[in-house]
Amino acid sequence: MSLAGRKINFAAGPAKLPEEVLLKMQEEQLNFNGLGVSVIEMSHRSKEFGVLLNETIALIRELMNVPDNYEILFMQGGGTGQFAAIPLNLKGNHEHADYIVTGAWSSKAAEEAQKYIKVKKVFQPSKPYVTVPDQEGWVHDEKAAYLYYCANETVHGIEFTPTAPESHNVPLVADVSSNFMARPFDFKDHGVVFGGAQKNLGAAGLTIVIVRKDLIGKQQGITPAVFSYQEMIANNSLYNTPPTGGIYTTNLVLKWIKAKGGLQSIYELNLQKSGLIYGIIDDSNGFYHCAVDKKYRSIMNVCFRIGGPKGNDKLEEEFLKGAVERNMISLKGHRSVGGIRASLYNAISLEETQVLATWMNEFAKIHNTN
């Protein structure tokens, strides 16, 4: 297959997959491993699919250095489903959970959790979301069931870097949907780490949940079986039919990451890509404006306005039109915040990022000249 005609896809998710993965999928679509059927036609109870499933789990454990006292689950419902599954599974005898709200997704998580547990926010969130307040001012409770945070806010471009928040002696719960395997991850103090696969690890439909073993078995009685960590572990993620095609896609992406040198190599490339775009923003004399505190700028989702802090709709529309003419798509910011958003997930190459950088420089030069 020729790759001619493919766009440079800066979508926030579902997002670009590596071309090598897509070509492998095409090659095996009609006949996986000589079995005469596609993976998406195979029984999830078959021996062959079991091998694929266990290999995928092993690859995650290897690439992320997941400690032995954690289970790796394949679930459905997306990250949003985990907004409910987490309090349903972790409440135990606790009355409340602590939440760190730094953007749209952690806000939605806290709102959903309130249906199943009392939610306390460790600080009062303030809009617009542009930073993470100093941890010294947070109000923690060591009786909380857990402390929840979103490692990377896709909408606002805010990322916890370089480390996770302090746990204050309760399990940390991390939503890593949009920076899953974008950098090495430290499991210290974490109870649950979860994310949808559709940004960095594959196709929409698969949710990966990594759970510390001592937290399993505390689910509320009303917990649906498909959201029960205990039930899913007992059945090796096969309680019901899993997203077989999604697991297969993630398996190929994980092999691609490994072939690229693993997470440290991926991280170094992601720093290069994001640094290239942020550098243009910072050197533009305000023509491009990123409101996010530099300490917490996301290396995955670079959000900015054109023409000043509040943006200029006409300039942004012109920029997006020119981007499409140059083969780039999905650069429009989230509908709730506007502006421009360049999602530089693992599959986006440095060369593709350079195409965006070249257009940004060209566009700024045109308008600064005028």
Side-chain angles (χ1 to χ4, degrees), residues 193-336:
V193 177
F194 74 92
Q198 71 274 12
K199 301 176 188 294
N200 254 346
L201 290 183
L206 173 65
T207 309
I208 300 168
V209 184
I210 305 172
V211 190
R212 207 172 68 204
K213 291 180 179 180
D214 64 291
L215 297 175
I216 297 163
K218 299 181 178 181
Q219 68 273 10
Q220 298 183 42
I222 61 169
T223 305
V226 292
F227 275 173
S228 166
Y229 298 157
Q230 186 175 49
E231 198 73 63
M232 297 302 287
I233 288 163
N235 289 275
N236 195 29
S237 296
L238 297 174
Y239 174 82
N240 62 326
T241 307
T244 54
I247 292 169
Y248 164 66
T249 305
T250 291
N251 179 282
L252 294 180
V253 173
L254 293 169
K255 290 175 179 175
W256 176 83
I257 291 173
K258 186 174 179 177
K260 290 291 183 181
L263 298 194
Q264 186 60 39
S265 295
I266 290 285
Y267 178 43
E268 290 169 5
L269 183 59
N270 286 334
L271 288 175
Q272 279 186 269
K273 294 184 299 184
S274 57
L276 179 61
I277 303 303
Y278 283 125
I280 293 170
I281 293 169
D282 293 341
D283 292 340
S284 69
N285 293 317
F287 182 71
Y288 296 117
H289 179 80
C290 175
V292 178
D293 183 341
K294 288 186 179 182
K295 290 188 298 183
Y296 298 106
R297 282 178 171 179
S298 171
I299 63 171
M300 292 284 93
N301 309 103
V302 180
C303 300
F304 60 96
R305 303 305 302 256
I306 302 178
K310 294 185 178 180
N312 179 304
D313 290 343
K314 184 177 179 182
L315 284 176
E316 290 172 352
E317 288 173 10
E318 184 183 343
F319 178 85
L320 291 169
K321 182 174 182 291
V324 171
E325 291 169 354
R326 288 159 178 80
N327 211 40
M328 294 176 282
I329 63 170
S330 300
L331 282 164
K332 188 174 183 179
H334 190 272
R335 61 188 180 277
S336 65

Side-chain angles (χ1 to χ4, degrees), residues 71-193:
E71 297 279 4
I72 299 170
L73 307 178
F74 295 145
M75 301 181 72
Q76 298 177 67
T80 302
Q82 292 302 306
F83 296 170
I86 286 158
L88 283 168
N89 280 278
L90 301 189
K91 182 179 183 295
N93 295 322
H94 300 275
E95 293 185 0
H96 79 278
D98 283 352
Y99 274 70
I100 300 167
V101 176
T102 53
W105 290 110
S106 50
S107 177
K108 290 177 184 291
E111 182 179 355
E112 179 70 7
Q114 288 175 348
K115 300 174 183 177
Y116 310 105
I117 194 170
K118 182 179 179 181
V119 167
K120 290 185 179 180
K121 298 173 184 178
V122 297
F123 59 81
Q124 187 58 43
S126 61
K127 297 181 180 180
Y129 298 113
V130 294
T131 191
V132 178
D134 192 327
Q135 295 191 42
E136 290 183 2
W138 298 4
V139 179
H140 293 275
D141 190 336
E142 292 190 1
K143 294 182 180 179
Y146 55 86
L147 174 61
Y148 182 103
Y149 74 103
C150 180
N152 185 74
E153 289 282 2
T154 319
V155 172
H156 297 91
I158 298 170
E159 185 172 17
F160 272 91
T161 58
T163 60
E166 296 177 17
S167 69
H168 287 262
N169 300 316
V170 302
L172 289 174
V173 173
D175 175 358
V176 297
S177 292
S178 55
N179 63 354
F180 221 149
M181 295 206 192
R183 58 169 73 232
F185 189 86
D186 185 357
F187 281 86
K188 181 178 180 292
D189 297 328
H190 284 81
V192 179
V193 177

